[in-house]
Amino acid sequence: MGPYPVSPDVQECGQAPLPPERPLDHRACQGAVDNLPRGTLPSIFTTRAHTATNNYIQVPVHYTDAEPNPGCMVTIDLDGHSKDDQFVFVPWNEIREMAQVIVNTCVDLVNRGGFITYGVGRTFESLIHPTTYEGNNVDIPTPAWVLQPDGAVEFVAIPSSPVINEYNVPYYMTITVSGADFALNPEYTDYSISLAVTENAVNQFLRSRTITMQNSLARIIKGLETNQDSLVERDHPRWWQYPIEPPTPVPINVKYACDENLGSPSTANCETALYEFVQSGDVILDPALGPIIKVTGDCAIAVGTNEKHTTTWDMLRSVAETLIATCISSPRSGALGGTAISQTIRRRRRSHYLGRRQTGEILSR
């Protein structure tokens, strides 16, 4: 199939999986890859036990070179947390291809091992449409949701609490090439996977045509970014364990510019005006109706557009918050007013946070 990895899967070389005096070499690792089974039909990999009737391959499984004291090992394992989605279907020939990628890019170039993932895309889908095990039938996953103050039910990302056991995180595969005494740990994988999933979410956001999907992706992006700093620490939460209500999503296609011609409004007045955007649901922007203007003291927040469309109050508030932090509250800008302009996206990518071309301004009255 290939080439691998396929986004949002990730491949990375290890920092130092073996002591310096025992670098990995091509012959040993190529031998381990050559010892992998072959096959073009999908095999069933799972954490469940193999029996004579189910033909499962129970992970982890290890393959080494044929030497009496093996110098290299290929490990196939699964990661995730689910009662139902514990299976990954992949042909052995594709596993061989992925392991070969590690040999070619890590062992041959830097004498180190590495890992590659397969199936993270399915796990990512579970973040867009999360499910949980609870209620009357704890064996059937049901949608995970949070009740908003206005009574709306919002489906959001998998939280770090309550106990993660309640949440359905479909398994994905990890393939590792390493020394024979090495065991892959989430400490090595979570940060890289989080970055790859974030990039994929951004790309999906830019292609999205619906506000509902944009809102979900934006919260995922913000949640992943909020959690990423903790992933470099020991005993960190898993990469999918971010808050159930991440901060207001930050639009990714907006340019901010401070402008001395817009005066120097006070931070306090602008933050007070910002409360006018603390609403939920959709908002229609229409050039025929003029801009939305919120005024407090010497600060005016105005939102205009050149084409009628729908966005959300969350998005408007998020842009205004960022603009205040960038221009008015920042010592670098000298407390100036500023503008936020959404970037025009090609017609086939026409749907995005602030519409086709929308402008937000904060200025001194």
Side-chain angles (χ1 to χ4, degrees):
M1 189 177 170
Y4 297 102
V6 178
S7 179
D9 285 300
V10 64
Q11 184 257 321
E12 187 166 291
C13 301
Q15 296 299 313
L18 288 172
E21 64 271 19
R22 293 181 58 200
L24 295 178
D25 69 83
H26 174 86
R27 190 174 74 85
C29 290
Q30 190 62 57
V33 172
D34 290 343
N35 284 335
L36 290 170
R38 297 178 182 272
T40 57
L41 296 178
S43 295
I44 305 172
F45 295 84
T46 181
T47 56
R48 299 183 184 181
H50 168 81
T51 69
T53 58
N54 64 27
N55 203 33
Y56 296 162
I57 300 172
Q58 186 179 15
V59 296
V61 288
H62 309 280
Y63 294 85
T64 63
D65 55 305
E67 298 297 325
N69 296 310
C72 191
M73 177 174 67
V74 176
T75 301
I76 302 161
D77 205 351
L78 300 184
D79 199 1
H81 195 107
S82 177
K83 295 179 182 179
D84 292 327
D85 298 320
Q86 298 177 338
F87 302 90
V88 174
F89 302 82
V90 55
W92 276 109
N93 282 3
E94 291 189 33
I95 292 176
R96 293 173 66 93
E97 282 188 58
M98 288 184 275
Q100 191 66 55
V101 169
I102 302 171
V103 172
N104 294 345
T105 59
C106 298
V107 177
D108 289 355
L109 296 181
V110 293
N111 298 117
R112 293 175 179 170
F115 74 90
I116 192 170
T117 66
Y118 179 92
V120 170
R122 185 174 66 140
T123 306
F124 175 56
E125 289 298 317
S126 77
L127 303 183
I128 299 176
H129 307 289
T131 54
T132 182
Y133 297 96
E134 59 185 358
N136 295 329
N137 192 338
V138 295
D139 294 325
I140 300 177
T142 57
W145 54 272
V146 61
L147 188 66
Q148 298 294 346
D150 63 356
V153 173
E154 185 165 349
F155 293 84
V156 293
I158 294 175
S160 55
S161 63
V163 183
I164 189 62
N165 292 357
E166 297 180 4
Y167 291 88
N168 183 44
V169 184
Y171 280 41
Y172 55 91
M173 178 176 285
T174 59
I175 301 166
T176 310
V177 175
S178 68
D181 55 355
F182 178 79
L184 188 67
N185 187 288
E187 306 279 345
Y188 289 92
T189 63
D190 275 1
Y191 184 71
S192 298
I193 293 174
S194 180
L195 293 178
V197 171
T198 301
E199 181 180 2
N200 186 266
V202 169
N203 291 334
Q204 286 202 36
F205 171 85
L206 293 174
R207 296 193 300 268
S208 175
R209 295 172 178 264
T210 67
I211 292 175
T212 301
M213 180 60 74
Q214 288 175 344
N215 288 349
S216 180
L217 290 167
R219 288 185 179 277
I220 289 171
I221 293 165
K222 189 63 177 181
L224 289 169
E225 290 176 344
T226 300
N227 194 33
Q228 278 165 1
D229 286 345
S230 68
L231 298 181
V232 297
E233 303 169 356
R234 290 188 177 276
D235 300 320
H236 58 66
R238 298 309 309 274
W239 64 266
W240 61 75
Q241 289 179 278
Y242 52 81
I244 193 166
E245 291 183 281
T248 303
V250 177
I252 58 175
N253 59 319
V254 178
K255 260 191 179 177
Y256 299 91
C258 305
D259 188 345
E260 62 181 9
N261 294 321
L262 298 179
S264 299
S266 74
T267 300
N269 284 333
C270 288
E271 289 180 347
T272 301
L274 192 61
Y275 280 109
E276 296 292 328
F277 290 87
V278 182
Q279 303 180 45
S280 61
D282 295 344
V283 56
I284 297 175
L285 299 174
D286 187 344
L289 300 177
I292 297 174
I293 301 176
K294 306 294 183 182
V295 180
T296 301
D298 66 351
C299 182
I301 301 177
V303 181
T305 182
N306 66 355
E307 186 175 341
K308 182 178 179 179
H309 67 282
T310 302
T311 186
T312 67
W313 285 104
D314 265 356
M315 301 309 131
L316 297 183
R317 182 173 68 254
S318 176
V319 172
E321 287 174 347
T322 305
L323 192 53
I324 290 172
T326 302
C327 293
I328 299 170
S329 302
S330 172
R332 294 181 181 179
S333 69
L336 299 175
T339 59
I341 301 176
S342 63
Q343 303 303 291
T344 301
I345 296 177
R346 291 194 298 268
R347 181 62 62 179
R348 66 185 181 88
R349 293 181 175 179
R350 62 185 181 181
S351 181
H352 49 91
Y353 270 125
L354 296 180
R356 281 69 170 177
R357 185 164 178 88
Q358 176 178 311
T359 303
E361 292 185 330
I362 297 181
L363 59 153
S364 179
R365 296 182 68 205

